[in-house]
Amino acid sequence: MKIGIMGAMPEEVSGIVGQLETLRMHRIGGRRYLEGTWNGIDLVVVFSRWGKVAASVTATVLLSRFDVDGIFFIGVAGAADPTLRLGDVVVATDLLQHDMDASAIPLFSKFEIPLLGRSRFPSDASWMSASLAAANHFIKGDFEAWVSDEVRTSLGVGNPRVVAGLIATGDRFVTDAAFLRDLRKALPDLRCVEMEGAAVAQTCFEFAVPFTVVRIISDRGDDGAPVDFQNFVSKVASRMSLGIASSFTKTMFERVDSDA
Ligand code: ADE
């Protein structure tokens, strides 16, 4: 099995790249695709950059040039569900593009992707369950050792929860509590917002390949978001991404091994 691992921030993938054995680098379309093995699984790891186009281009290269069997995306997100706290982990059940609106044409509803006849892209059930298991395993295991008490206290991170739910994607870093409230009125099951996941989901859907998206809550999508975000990414998300990705690859290895 070969898995594509994507992150939208260098901090989210650099720790993973540091773990790869038999590393080979490929420069394609302005990105560096790092190929190697980790925990017995063949991987191609790449920093996608921000936004839906960047994510979709990167996913397309992983699928068409590297022939990966599926994509694991890890990154941070702004909370839309007010019960979520910094450090909580959201594993996508499904994703949609909150900035897609062709409803001026009577054929389409809001959020619907024209000509695909759908707005939501469901995650692959088996890959989603591996992500949930990986996130829970990391939070209950290494989390306290990997993210110091001092960092947790200074950033207001408690004992993270792992939840599954809807993720909305758009080409906008959300710093507007009113925008989020309105979005949640339209999508009451929405957990968080980010800038890449649904683009990866649509690309994988069109290639009929499994994917899973894991997001760590870095901010509340309000006017404090830019400050929370930068501190959180460098001190917490980088460590959590590495721990969850490690646990995910081990889970996938055990599954492949038990099928053999
Ligand atoms: N990723 C992390 N926080 C975000 C936010 N507030 N809006 C969009 N993407 C994000």
Side-chain angles (χ1 to χ4, degrees), residues 76-78 172-175 193-195 215 218-221 225 229:
V76 289
R172 165 178 185 177
F173 189 92
V174 179
T175 57
V193 289
E194 39 84 309
M195 300 177 69
R215 290 288 183 171
S218 58
D219 59 82
R220 291 171 194 82
F229 175 79

PDB file of all heavy atoms in Angstrom, residues 76-78 172-175 193-195 215 218-221 225 229, ligand 1:
ATOM      1  N   VAL A  76      -4.686  22.125  10.446  1.00  0.00           N
ATOM      2  CA  VAL A  76      -5.413  22.825  11.512  1.00  0.00           C
ATOM      3  C   VAL A  76      -6.691  23.428  10.943  1.00  0.00           C
ATOM      4  O   VAL A  76      -6.868  23.504   9.725  1.00  0.00           O
ATOM      5  CB  VAL A  76      -4.538  23.918  12.157  1.00  0.00           C
ATOM      6  CG1 VAL A  76      -3.429  23.301  12.982  1.00  0.00           C
ATOM      7  CG2 VAL A  76      -3.986  24.874  11.113  1.00  0.00           C
ATOM      8  N   ALA A  77      -7.584  23.845  11.859  1.00  0.00           N
ATOM      9  CA  ALA A  77      -8.873  24.402  11.424  1.00  0.00           C
ATOM     10  C   ALA A  77      -9.395  25.354  12.476  1.00  0.00           C
ATOM     11  O   ALA A  77      -9.003  25.306  13.647  1.00  0.00           O
ATOM     12  CB  ALA A  77      -9.882  23.265  11.217  1.00  0.00           C
ATOM     13  N   GLY A  78     -10.308  26.221  12.045  1.00  0.00           N
ATOM     14  CA  GLY A  78     -11.015  27.106  12.969  1.00  0.00           C
ATOM     15  C   GLY A  78     -12.302  26.425  13.421  1.00  0.00           C
ATOM     16  O   GLY A  78     -13.011  25.822  12.609  1.00  0.00           O
ATOM     17  N   ARG A 172     -10.768  31.224   2.177  1.00  0.00           N
ATOM     18  CA  ARG A 172     -10.862  32.369   3.081  1.00  0.00           C
ATOM     19  C   ARG A 172     -10.395  31.920   4.460  1.00  0.00           C
ATOM     20  O   ARG A 172     -10.899  30.902   4.966  1.00  0.00           O
ATOM     21  CB  ARG A 172     -12.332  32.791   3.125  1.00  0.00           C
ATOM     22  CG  ARG A 172     -12.674  33.715   4.252  1.00  0.00           C
ATOM     23  CD  ARG A 172     -14.137  34.139   4.199  1.00  0.00           C
ATOM     24  NE  ARG A 172     -14.394  35.117   5.234  1.00  0.00           N
ATOM     25  CZ  ARG A 172     -15.558  35.731   5.412  1.00  0.00           C
ATOM     26  NH1 ARG A 172     -16.564  35.475   4.601  1.00  0.00           N
ATOM     27  NH2 ARG A 172     -15.718  36.596   6.382  1.00  0.00           N
ATOM     28  N   PHE A 173      -9.442  32.631   5.044  1.00  0.00           N
ATOM     29  CA  PHE A 173      -9.084  32.362   6.445  1.00  0.00           C
ATOM     30  C   PHE A 173     -10.120  33.110   7.286  1.00  0.00           C
ATOM     31  O   PHE A 173     -10.181  34.337   7.272  1.00  0.00           O
ATOM     32  CB  PHE A 173      -7.656  32.843   6.759  1.00  0.00           C
ATOM     33  CG  PHE A 173      -7.202  32.392   8.116  1.00  0.00           C
ATOM     34  CD1 PHE A 173      -6.510  31.206   8.290  1.00  0.00           C
ATOM     35  CD2 PHE A 173      -7.519  33.145   9.245  1.00  0.00           C
ATOM     36  CE1 PHE A 173      -6.123  30.776   9.555  1.00  0.00           C
ATOM     37  CE2 PHE A 173      -7.139  32.729  10.515  1.00  0.00           C
ATOM     38  CZ  PHE A 173      -6.436  31.541  10.662  1.00  0.00           C
ATOM     39  N   VAL A 174     -10.965  32.375   8.001  1.00  0.00           N
ATOM     40  CA  VAL A 174     -12.131  32.972   8.660  1.00  0.00           C
ATOM     41  C   VAL A 174     -11.718  33.637   9.979  1.00  0.00           C
ATOM     42  O   VAL A 174     -11.140  32.984  10.862  1.00  0.00           O
ATOM     43  CB  VAL A 174     -13.211  31.903   8.917  1.00  0.00           C
ATOM     44  CG1 VAL A 174     -14.409  32.524   9.639  1.00  0.00           C
ATOM     45  CG2 VAL A 174     -13.656  31.249   7.609  1.00  0.00           C
ATOM     46  N   THR A 175     -12.021  34.940  10.069  1.00  0.00           N
ATOM     47  CA  THR A 175     -11.733  35.705  11.297  1.00  0.00           C
ATOM     48  C   THR A 175     -12.992  36.478  11.689  1.00  0.00           C
ATOM     49  O   THR A 175     -12.913  37.587  12.184  1.00  0.00           O
ATOM     50  CB  THR A 175     -10.573  36.694  11.074  1.00  0.00           C
ATOM     51  OG1 THR A 175     -10.936  37.539   9.978  1.00  0.00           O
ATOM     52  CG2 THR A 175      -9.263  36.008  10.782  1.00  0.00           C
ATOM     53  N   VAL A 193     -13.924  24.927  10.068  1.00  0.00           N
ATOM     54  CA  VAL A 193     -13.646  25.453   8.722  1.00  0.00           C
ATOM     55  C   VAL A 193     -12.141  25.440   8.468  1.00  0.00           C
ATOM     56  O   VAL A 193     -11.346  25.656   9.380  1.00  0.00           O
ATOM     57  CB  VAL A 193     -14.175  26.892   8.539  1.00  0.00           C
ATOM     58  CG1 VAL A 193     -15.688  26.920   8.483  1.00  0.00           C
ATOM     59  CG2 VAL A 193     -13.662  27.842   9.626  1.00  0.00           C
ATOM     60  N   GLU A 194     -11.811  25.207   7.221  1.00  0.00           N
ATOM     61  CA  GLU A 194     -10.401  25.213   6.803  1.00  0.00           C
ATOM     62  C   GLU A 194     -10.342  25.527   5.314  1.00  0.00           C
ATOM     63  O   GLU A 194     -11.355  25.942   4.752  1.00  0.00           O
ATOM     64  CB  GLU A 194      -9.715  23.894   7.199  1.00  0.00           C
ATOM     65  CG  GLU A 194     -10.539  22.621   7.031  1.00  0.00           C
ATOM     66  CD  GLU A 194     -10.507  22.044   5.662  1.00  0.00           C
ATOM     67  OE1 GLU A 194     -10.766  22.788   4.694  1.00  0.00           O
ATOM     68  OE2 GLU A 194     -10.277  20.832   5.543  1.00  0.00           O
ATOM     69  N   MET A 195      -9.191  25.321   4.667  1.00  0.00           N
ATOM     70  CA  MET A 195      -9.029  25.860   3.312  1.00  0.00           C
ATOM     71  C   MET A 195      -8.626  24.822   2.253  1.00  0.00           C
ATOM     72  O   MET A 195      -8.287  25.217   1.131  1.00  0.00           O
ATOM     73  CB  MET A 195      -8.014  27.011   3.343  1.00  0.00           C
ATOM     74  CG  MET A 195      -8.460  28.155   4.251  1.00  0.00           C
ATOM     75  SD  MET A 195      -7.261  29.491   4.402  1.00  0.00           S
ATOM     76  CE  MET A 195      -7.302  30.192   2.769  1.00  0.00           C
ATOM     77  N   ARG A 215      -8.292  17.319  11.279  1.00  0.00           N
ATOM     78  CA  ARG A 215      -8.017  18.728  11.573  1.00  0.00           C
ATOM     79  C   ARG A 215      -7.924  18.950  13.077  1.00  0.00           C
ATOM     80  O   ARG A 215      -8.775  18.489  13.845  1.00  0.00           O
ATOM     81  CB  ARG A 215      -9.138  19.601  11.010  1.00  0.00           C
ATOM     82  CG  ARG A 215      -9.160  19.667   9.494  1.00  0.00           C
ATOM     83  CD  ARG A 215      -8.018  20.486   8.946  1.00  0.00           C
ATOM     84  NE  ARG A 215      -8.056  20.617   7.501  1.00  0.00           N
ATOM     85  CZ  ARG A 215      -7.264  21.420   6.803  1.00  0.00           C
ATOM     86  NH1 ARG A 215      -6.362  22.156   7.391  1.00  0.00           N
ATOM     87  NH2 ARG A 215      -7.330  21.469   5.496  1.00  0.00           N
ATOM     88  N   SER A 218      -7.193  25.068  15.870  1.00  0.00           N
ATOM     89  CA  SER A 218      -6.119  26.022  16.206  1.00  0.00           C
ATOM     90  C   SER A 218      -6.657  27.380  16.633  1.00  0.00           C
ATOM     91  O   SER A 218      -5.903  28.205  17.154  1.00  0.00           O
ATOM     92  CB  SER A 218      -5.218  26.238  14.988  1.00  0.00           C
ATOM     93  OG  SER A 218      -5.998  26.718  13.900  1.00  0.00           O
ATOM     94  N   ASP A 219      -7.949  27.637  16.387  1.00  0.00           N
ATOM     95  CA  ASP A 219      -8.513  28.974  16.663  1.00  0.00           C
ATOM     96  C   ASP A 219     -10.025  28.893  16.570  1.00  0.00           C
ATOM     97  O   ASP A 219     -10.579  27.857  16.213  1.00  0.00           O
ATOM     98  CB  ASP A 219      -7.954  29.999  15.652  1.00  0.00           C
ATOM     99  CG  ASP A 219      -8.279  29.615  14.219  1.00  0.00           C
ATOM    100  OD1 ASP A 219      -9.398  29.895  13.757  1.00  0.00           O
ATOM    101  OD2 ASP A 219      -7.430  28.976  13.582  1.00  0.00           O
ATOM    102  N   ARG A 220     -10.668  30.016  16.890  1.00  0.00           N
ATOM    103  CA  ARG A 220     -12.140  30.031  16.900  1.00  0.00           C
ATOM    104  C   ARG A 220     -12.732  30.735  15.684  1.00  0.00           C
ATOM    105  O   ARG A 220     -13.916  31.065  15.684  1.00  0.00           O
ATOM    106  CB  ARG A 220     -12.642  30.699  18.183  1.00  0.00           C
ATOM    107  CG  ARG A 220     -12.372  29.861  19.408  1.00  0.00           C
ATOM    108  CD  ARG A 220     -12.649  30.564  20.713  1.00  0.00           C
ATOM    109  NE  ARG A 220     -12.049  29.787  21.800  1.00  0.00           N
ATOM    110  CZ  ARG A 220     -10.775  29.848  22.160  1.00  0.00           C
ATOM    111  NH1 ARG A 220      -9.950  30.675  21.546  1.00  0.00           N
ATOM    112  NH2 ARG A 220     -10.322  29.089  23.133  1.00  0.00           N
ATOM    113  N   GLY A 221     -11.918  31.009  14.687  1.00  0.00           N
ATOM    114  CA  GLY A 221     -12.442  31.650  13.476  1.00  0.00           C
ATOM    115  C   GLY A 221     -12.955  33.057  13.727  1.00  0.00           C
ATOM    116  O   GLY A 221     -13.774  33.564  12.964  1.00  0.00           O
ATOM    117  N   ALA A 225      -8.209  34.864  15.804  1.00  0.00           N
ATOM    118  CA  ALA A 225      -7.700  33.679  15.098  1.00  0.00           C
ATOM    119  C   ALA A 225      -6.249  33.803  14.629  1.00  0.00           C
ATOM    120  O   ALA A 225      -5.457  32.876  14.831  1.00  0.00           O
ATOM    121  CB  ALA A 225      -8.630  33.324  13.939  1.00  0.00           C
ATOM    122  N   PHE A 229      -3.538  31.157  15.984  1.00  0.00           N
ATOM    123  CA  PHE A 229      -3.135  30.242  14.938  1.00  0.00           C
ATOM    124  C   PHE A 229      -1.621  30.045  14.872  1.00  0.00           C
ATOM    125  O   PHE A 229      -1.135  28.922  14.898  1.00  0.00           O
ATOM    126  CB  PHE A 229      -3.689  30.824  13.630  1.00  0.00           C
ATOM    127  CG  PHE A 229      -3.281  30.102  12.411  1.00  0.00           C
ATOM    128  CD1 PHE A 229      -3.909  28.919  12.066  1.00  0.00           C
ATOM    129  CD2 PHE A 229      -2.271  30.580  11.607  1.00  0.00           C
ATOM    130  CE1 PHE A 229      -3.535  28.234  10.930  1.00  0.00           C
ATOM    131  CE2 PHE A 229      -1.893  29.903  10.480  1.00  0.00           C
ATOM    132  CZ  PHE A 229      -2.528  28.728  10.137  1.00  0.00           C
TER     133      PHE A 229
HETATM  134  N1  ADE B   1      -7.312  26.985   9.349  1.00  0.00           N
HETATM  135  C1  ADE B   1      -7.060  27.215  10.651  1.00  0.00           C
HETATM  136  N2  ADE B   1      -7.859  28.193  11.147  1.00  0.00           N
HETATM  137  C2  ADE B   1      -8.625  28.600  10.104  1.00  0.00           C
HETATM  138  C3  ADE B   1      -9.612  29.593   9.966  1.00  0.00           C
HETATM  139  N3  ADE B   1      -9.968  30.358  10.993  1.00  0.00           N
HETATM  140  N4  ADE B   1     -10.181  29.753   8.743  1.00  0.00           N
HETATM  141  C4  ADE B   1      -9.811  28.975   7.689  1.00  0.00           C
HETATM  142  N5  ADE B   1      -8.864  28.032   7.770  1.00  0.00           N
HETATM  143  C5  ADE B   1      -8.280  27.836   8.966  1.00  0.00           C
END
